[in-house]
Amino acid sequence: MLIDEFSVTICAKDSTGPYDYELRKRLVNLAKENNINHQIDIYPFYGSAALRAGYDIKVGLIGPGVDASHSFERTHIEAIDSTIKLGIAH
């Protein structure tokens, strides 16, 4: 999937491994049910401190989509708005 700076990004896994599948699926379903522009991505250089510390908890990660090139990262107000909408959706 092509990640862009206009969507909320739902993280599937990072350097500590995959995030909780049921939680990720719930976030994706919430985004679909609420017509929230979203993408799924992985962050190989990011890592959950809680998982690294050995906590046995379900974790998830969402955030504004970012496009990067030539050492510049950019996002759009639509991505921030979508992140807020997903964060408060139920």
Side-chain angles (χ1 to χ4, degrees):
M1 207 173 271
L2 180 63
I3 305 306
D4 60 45
E5 70 268 29
F6 299 100
S7 308
V8 58
T9 300
I10 300 169
C11 184
K13 73 179 252 178
D14 65 19
S15 64
T16 58
Y19 282 17
D20 182 75
Y21 177 72
E22 293 299 322
L23 180 55
R24 179 175 59 93
K25 192 164 68 170
R26 174 80 174 123
L27 290 168
V28 170
N29 287 337
L30 279 171
K32 288 178 181 178
E33 291 166 6
N34 291 280
N35 295 317
I36 299 170
N37 194 14
H38 68 285
Q39 305 288 338
I40 299 171
D41 199 4
I42 62 170
Y43 296 106
F45 303 109
Y46 180 83
S48 168
L51 294 179
R52 284 197 176 135
Y55 290 98
D56 184 21
I57 58 174
K58 294 180 180 186
V59 296
L61 174 66
I62 64 170
V66 176
D67 190 21
S69 63
H70 301 91
S71 300
F72 288 97
E73 292 184 350
R74 60 188 173 274
T75 194
H76 194 275
I77 190 71
E78 289 178 31
I80 296 168
D81 186 53
S82 292
T83 302
I84 293 167
K85 287 178 180 176
L86 183 56
I88 62 175
H90 49 62

